[in-house]
Amino acid sequence: MRVKDADVPNTAFRTRYGHFEFLVMSFALTNSAATFMDLKNRIFKPYLDKFVIVFIDDNLIYSHNKDEHVDHLRIVLKTLRDCQLYAKFSKCEFLLLEVAFMGHIISANGIMVDPNKVQTTMCWRSPRNVSEVRSFLGLAGYHRRFMNGFSAIALPLTKLLRKDQPFEWSEDRQRSFDQLKQALTHAPILVQPESGKEFIVYSDASNSGLGCVLMQGENVIAYASRQLKPHELNFPTHDLELAAIVFALKIWRHYLYGEKCHMFTDHKSLKYLLTQKDLNLRQRRWMELLNDYDLVINYHPGKDENVEHLRIVLQTLGDHQLYAKFSKCEFWLSEVAFLGHVISANGIMFDLKKVQTILDWRPPRNVSEVRSFFSLARYYRRFVKGFPAIALPLTKLLRKDQPFEWSEDR
């Protein structure tokens, strides 16, 4: 049952992770959730985010080992009893290696989407009306922190929710529907942030939305994105890229406030924003927010930088009357095969086709076949630790006057 819009603010309650409101009727709703949540926040205040997380009637206790967990469990149960609060034993689970909590699976590896939710999403048939589109986006949107660029992918579907928009299921909406289901099935495992450790945020803006990624080290904590508001479509590029930074700081304030944060943007002029003297009114307003954080803005090249590099290379070839055959060119690849290697953002690895060739190679029957195999394997010696020691029995066969004899060590 939908709560009247004017009464929605009356259902608000506060947690350490932000403010929440009920849009539909909850259990015996007469400020019960807000009052109960406030009570649990106060009684568990010394332990929150140290070994316990509370959310209304859910309590999650986590520890590094079994002995520590028993101590934490004793503290939580004693705290509940001292405040005359009790847990129903049939609804409790103890000493689990992984636990389902609010639609997520939490384990030592991190946080991932509940497989039951994934299965529900995969079995969802194509929507036939706006109500079904809204239901699907509600389920998929709950896990948007696991999906990079959620808003951009979902844009064709969210357009159907606009007022006076006729329902028309087109190919691009079917593609968006399939991409959201695919993204949810391949959602990464996210990690819990560590207090006191530096945060890294990558932000970006486009003509359709804002996006950002929160990380610690090489581990992703969360993704976030949203579509542009109507007035933001008129923003200059500088302000739009700054809006992406402000969006990240606001949505992850509970993580970033009071912590060291490195913000990376592909708009180079923002690197000097904190020392810039001439600011417009919008930038001055946002600067008040930025000054609340221990923030360093850094530059990293984006796609526009790659376009400029491509233009320079093609211009240089043209100036020297050298030309590339277009049918043999490839652009905007996430990984590329180059000189027997595959190069991507993750690094350099050997070409899988070459690996398969080596795996299918039958045992040599003469010195010539040993030399052929050895020359192929030696090309990738930089990837193999202790290559000379491993290959020593084979290299002995290449010595002059060495009779060919295939033994077990070879």
Side-chain angles (χ1 to χ4, degrees), residues 210 226 231-232 235-236 238-247 249-250 273-274 279-293:
L210 310 175
R226 71 167 175 83
H231 70 277
E232 292 175 336
F235 280 9
H238 184 277
D239 285 7
L240 201 58
E241 294 287 351
L242 181 55
I245 293 177
V246 172
F247 168 65
L249 293 177
K250 285 183 176 180
L273 176 69
L274 300 178
L279 300 172
N280 61 37
L281 292 178
R282 183 187 301 117
Q283 293 166 357
R284 290 178 186 177
R285 186 174 72 251
W286 285 343
M287 277 296 295
E288 293 181 5
L289 173 70
L290 266 61
N291 288 332
D292 289 341
Y293 295 85

Side-chain angles (χ1 to χ4, degrees), residues 39 160 166 182 227 231 286 342 382 385-386 394:
L39 171 64
L160 285 174
Q182 189 71 11
Q227 297 169 17
H231 70 277
W286 285 343
V342 175
R382 63 180 295 194
K385 185 178 181 180
L394 294 180

